[in-house]
Amino acid sequence: MGLPIRVLIIEDSEDDAVLIVRELKSGGFDVEYQRVDSPRALSCACDARQWDLIISDYSMASFSGTDALKFVRSKHVAAPFIFISATTGEESAVSAIRNGAQDYIMKGQLQRLIPAVRRELQRAEQRKERERLQKHVQQLQKFEAIGRLSGGIAHDFNNMIGAIQGWAELGYEEAGPGTKLGERFKKIHEQSQRAAKLTSQLLAFGRLQILRPRKVNLNVFIREEMSFLGKIIGENLDVRIVEAPDLQVIDADPTQLQQVFMNLCLNARDAMPAGGQLKIATSNVAIGEDVSGAGPQLQATSGNYVLMTVSDSGVGMDDATAERIFEPFFTTKEIGKGTGLGLSTVYGIVKQHRGFIYVDSELGKGSSFRVYFPAQSGVHEPREFACDDQALKGSETILLAEDDDGLRESVQEMLQSLGYRVIPASDGKKAVDVFKENVGEIDLVIMDVVMPSQGGLRAYPELAKIKPGIDVIFTSGYAGDAEALVTRDKRALFLAKPYSLAKLSQMMRNILDRKHRVHPDASGRVLPAP
């Protein structure tokens, strides 16, 4: 079996076309061809399919080869164009090359055809590769720009949402459950939670989510998720799961991984409204040093990966849709049927986990999403489940540094309602000044990471110099330098915005109760906890 090649032959002589095809076959090509001899037939052939090679006579009775070349290029057909003609003269050859042809071969010298075809096919493939690499780089740059924009927007919205949630919680507690006013506050809180999920998706695309990674075996994870997700997907789908034995673990945040898996499965379900097959497979893969090839290697660094593939037999996508599928707010669904953030969320989460994702799709033949995560050593760690929603009271003094007025006021009032004394500050510099004035009274600092004048990351070291050992809870709408600080300082914790009163108060009590606990030393004396 030779190398398959689709050839468009522009030639008014059937015999000459047969000779050309015979020469190509003798050179090891499996030729599929069409002969045309008029402008209309050429136009139809160019519209009908893609061609690997175009061979044209230079001079024909009713059709000029030069005009054919100009027409083909006007249709943006990039296939190599080779003239084969009985017309002699160096001037004709130079003119052909100048007009965009790749080569000019005399009919009496067909032995030159095979080397010329091989050379031009190789060059054409190299051009395609360069164009694809350039397009990929441009897409990454676009995603990076959108990610920064969405991250900034989400950060500001998280402050507003946090304030709304805080006031709604306070209103609900004051109105009391079961009252008409209380139910209204409850609905406000529920809507603010929906808004928080949208900002979370924007942050995920921008790779700015707060991650809490654990060792995850995707086989175990998929089994756990399908026990719940199977009810949502529906009974009209044939779900097939193929698990690789001895699958390596990955470092991943189970909550974020759940978003990836759920969005891919629901996307597959929506692509099969009349039913079909959903296939989920896992495998260990290795990517070599040469990452210049096609497909997912464009995005990868060499190493060992765990691959999760989610495939469907649905409607599929054309190339134009596949190129935009990970853009925020891009959707092929009807208005009101989707936000267009599902797959962009998937993209951002995968990239933040140092992985990459690749989609292969064809209209009418379904889609296959391949997600690669760096493989790690170790064993699967069961996920932790969320604690209860009870707000815990206290009486300690708290320094609250937050530049957003609405959020600062709501958090201050929430903590005061639990019995805490709160000293507010609107930026890092004011927090340092207030801390100096009340250093003997302050038990804990709650501090935003990003504030004008001086942010939390710069202000906290100054506080620690004044009072070594002071505990701090950093808050922010997205991950950044705070995570690095938290890993360096055991007294620093991180709380993602927007947060509930229950979550904040529970974190506060864990810190404060630890400070109040006592423990015996080696001699049996009871000492305060450090």
Side-chain angles (χ1 to χ4, degrees), residues 166-177 179 182 185 389 391 417-418 501:
W167 293 122
E169 286 187 47
L170 286 170
Y172 180 77
E173 291 298 325
E174 291 179 4
T179 65
F185 279 119
D389 58 355
S417 72
L418 294 177
L501 176 59

Side-chain angles (χ1 to χ4, degrees), residues 232-249:
I232 300 177
I233 290 176
E235 299 179 353
N236 64 332
L237 295 185
D238 174 24
V239 180
R240 184 184 174 200
I241 300 176
V242 182
E243 296 181 356
D246 302 322
L247 191 70
Q248 293 180 274
V249 297

